[in-house]
Amino acid sequence: MLISEDLVGSLNEAAKAAHEDEFGALGRKLQRQGVDIEALVKRAMAWSVAVPSWGVGTGGTRFARFPGRGEPRGIHDKLADCGVIQQLTRGTRTVSPHIPWDKVSDYNALRQEAAQYGLGFDAVNSNTFQDQADQGLSYRYGSLANARSDIRAQAVTHNIECIEIGKALGAPALTVWIGDGTNFAGQQSLGRMFENYLSAMEEVYAALPPNMAMFIEHKMYEPAFYSTVISDWGSSLMAAQHLGPQAKCLVDLGHHAPNVNIEQIVARLVHVGRLAGFHFNDSKYGDDDLDAGSVEPFRLFLVFNELVEAELRGAKGFAPSYMIDQSHNVTDPIESLMGSAVEIARAYIQASLVDRKALGEAQEANDVMAAHRTLKAGFLTDVSPILAEARMRQGGAFDPIAAYRASGYRDRVAKERPEVKGSSSGIV
Ligand code: RM4
Ligand code: MN
Ligand code: MN
């Protein structure tokens, strides 16, 4: 264990009396509404969201990156940091790796290393939005959608390598996000770029084993600022339907225009059986990559309202993957990721306690206010005691961030991991 179990135990013990009081009060409140708190604790215990390997390093903007203390030196340190997050929250059982950032020579050994921390692997992310030192051709003008067939072929090869890595790690999916697009009107044919992308993706798709999915991630803009090839869920769905049933559409919450109704996009993708899953984060303007639930917790709740509704009615093909995708520029990434994991679980449990029968009846009767109040009641319920109970029953911390601070983990790793000096730009 990376954090002393005695420490976690004694902190939990100190919080016990107040927690039991609050848990009991919430249980009685929910009972009056006909909701069994025990069932919600079980749901919270079964919940898990994947941590992005790149999220445990300090992020930055295109202007600057200000490294923190004890920055992970590579995938081995990143796994340890993810292990801390899982140990204290017990709701982040998988890691989503990014290739080539997390490349190693022995993936079986990496799988075992992760398992020692109680971690498995989620979707493998390919990267053709940067050039690597040892790379033959540049992605400056795009990758899978590039006008040049030799560059497209190089990007296809990289994605097929990611599939192989995914097989070795036991990952359920390959996530493909490309930065391809244009910065000038007329730079490329918008139609031809999409066609190039589709034919390159056909080759990647053909390399998928039957038990591996392909997640297509759309993003409105950045790094291309005039047009982006897979800019929205429409392009993503067209691509998925073109490729075949293993291709699905991944929704990164920050990849839409401000004020877009993301929960409705979720409902549409559920309807068509193509919802791959999520990259959770929060935003005010664009791909801000702020911590989930830190700016618009109600929007997060509304997304989960769609998910829980789909789950409970047994929507066909509904099995989304849940991942975090954030950039922690001014906080300790471990604290941010633990906080986000808790906020995401909170939205899930709040959505789970909505009285679906009453909501359906109000909707049937066109009773607008009753429907809204029924939905909002879920959001207005403080489910913190349920989340804390679920964590503690599994050996996690009553307050993960407080336990992490008390453990001195960051000081400890800062002694082993060399200081990163100066500030450079870039996303990670
Ligand atoms: C992108 C996108 C991808 C992530 C990269 C690092 O904006 O969200 O999911 O792989 O950032
Ligand atoms: Mn993303
Ligand atoms: Mn993003």
Side-chain angles (χ1 to χ4, degrees):
M1 282 294 163
L2 296 146
I3 307 289
S4 150
E5 287 179 289
D6 286 349
L7 173 73
V8 175
S10 67
L11 291 171
N12 287 357
E13 193 56 35
K16 197 173 166 198
H19 168 69
E20 280 178 0
D21 187 45
E22 285 163 23
F23 185 71
L26 179 58
R28 290 189 293 279
K29 175 184 156 69
L30 291 174
Q31 198 174 26
R32 284 190 288 276
Q33 298 167 17
V35 175
D36 174 19
I37 197 168
E38 208 35 54
L40 290 174
V41 173
K42 297 244 160 61
R43 269 173 90 76
M45 287 171 72
W47 171 259
S48 184
V49 64
V51 169
S53 66
W54 60 102
V56 288
T58 303
T61 66
R62 62 200 171 95
F63 298 99
R65 186 180 92 91
F66 302 97
R69 291 167 58 245
E71 289 280 327
R73 288 162 293 186
I75 183 63
H76 307 292
D77 288 347
K78 289 181 194 171
L79 283 180
D81 291 0
C82 292
V84 170
I85 297 166
Q86 163 60 2
Q87 187 191 340
L88 297 176
T89 66
R90 302 289 162 153
T92 58
R93 288 186 270 273
T94 50
V95 176
S96 192
H98 225 305
I99 304 298
W101 297 336
D102 299 328
K103 235 173 157 170
V104 294
S105 53
D106 185 348
Y107 290 97
N108 278 324
L110 196 70
R111 203 174 170 175
Q112 281 163 28
E113 189 179 323
Q116 282 172 6
Y117 300 125
L119 299 169
F121 285 96
D122 210 298
V124 174
N125 299 260
S126 62
N127 177 347
T128 60
F129 49 84
Q130 292 175 324
D131 284 348
Q132 309 302 324
D134 56 356
Q135 192 177 304
L137 303 165
S138 172
Y139 294 133
R140 176 192 290 260
Y141 304 111
S143 59
L144 292 167
N146 199 300
R148 275 176 52 177
S149 62
D150 53 348
I151 298 176
R152 294 199 300 275
Q154 178 181 279
V156 167
T157 303
H158 167 71
N159 275 282
I160 293 175
E161 185 192 355
C162 290
I163 292 174
E164 292 306 315
I165 293 170
K167 283 188 203 165
L169 291 177
L174 165 74
T175 297
V176 185
W177 172 73
I178 54 163
D180 294 36
T182 64
N183 283 299
F184 286 83
Q187 180 182 333
Q188 283 295 334
S189 153
L190 302 183
R192 211 173 313 119
M193 279 188 105
F194 189 56
E195 284 159 18
N196 285 341
Y197 169 82
L198 289 179
S199 52
M201 285 287 268
E202 282 171 18
E203 290 181 55
V204 179
Y205 188 91
L208 286 173
N211 61 350
M212 196 182 279
M214 173 188 269
F215 293 171
I216 300 172
E217 181 178 1
H218 61 273
K219 168 159 153 164
M220 188 176 60
Y221 72 98
E222 195 206 19
F225 290 111
Y226 168 64
S227 73
T228 290
V229 178
I230 304 297
S231 56
D232 54 19
W233 71 278
S235 308
S236 174
L237 181 60
M238 268 192 262
Q241 289 177 326
H242 174 88
L243 292 168
Q246 284 166 257
K248 293 185 171 186
C249 308
L250 184 131
V251 178
D252 182 313
L253 295 186
H255 289 190
H256 307 87
N259 301 327
V260 157
N261 188 334
I262 299 174
E263 55 273 24
Q264 185 165 296
I265 295 174
V266 173
R268 293 292 176 272
L269 291 175
V270 168
H271 169 83
V272 72
R274 295 281 185 161
L275 179 66
F278 290 85
H279 275 182
F280 291 114
N281 50 52
D282 213 336
S283 66
K284 183 103 183 128
Y285 304 103
D287 192 27
D288 307 351
D289 277 335
L290 299 173
D291 290 14
S294 65
V295 180
E296 297 210 41
F298 190 50
R299 185 171 66 177
L300 188 61
F301 166 79
L302 293 175
V303 165
F304 272 98
N305 176 50
E306 296 304 321
L307 296 173
V308 170
E309 188 198 272
E311 177 203 336
L312 296 181
R313 74 180 151 85
K316 200 164 166 268
F318 180 78
S321 283
Y322 300 115
M323 291 165 274
I324 300 176
D325 184 6
Q326 301 177 165
S327 181
H328 314 106
N329 303 353
V330 293
T331 51
D332 180 324
I334 292 180
E335 292 192 6
S336 267
L337 285 161
M338 290 196 296
S340 301
V342 171
E343 291 316 301
I344 294 162
R346 180 189 308 284
Y348 171 61
I349 296 302
Q350 286 174 325
S352 300
L353 62 78
V354 169
D355 185 341
R356 302 260 151 211
K357 188 163 169 284
L359 181 60
E361 283 165 7
Q363 290 171 344
E364 186 79 16
N366 281 317
D367 188 339
V368 179
M369 193 51 77
H372 177 66
R373 279 164 55 88
T374 304
L375 179 64
K376 199 85 182 277
F379 179 67
L380 293 177
T381 306
D382 181 4
V383 299
S384 302
I386 296 174
L387 303 176
E389 180 71 15
R391 280 194 298 276
M392 288 193 286
R393 280 196 203 172
Q394 299 177 92
F398 170 74
D399 181 340
I401 293 179
Y404 169 73
R405 289 190 170 192
S407 77
Y409 177 83
R410 185 60 71 187
D411 291 334
R412 205 161 76 223
V413 296
K415 287 195 189 105
E416 296 160 15
R417 304 176 184 174
E419 193 185 342
V420 183
K421 288 227 176 73
S423 93
S424 58
S425 59
I427 48 167
V428 284

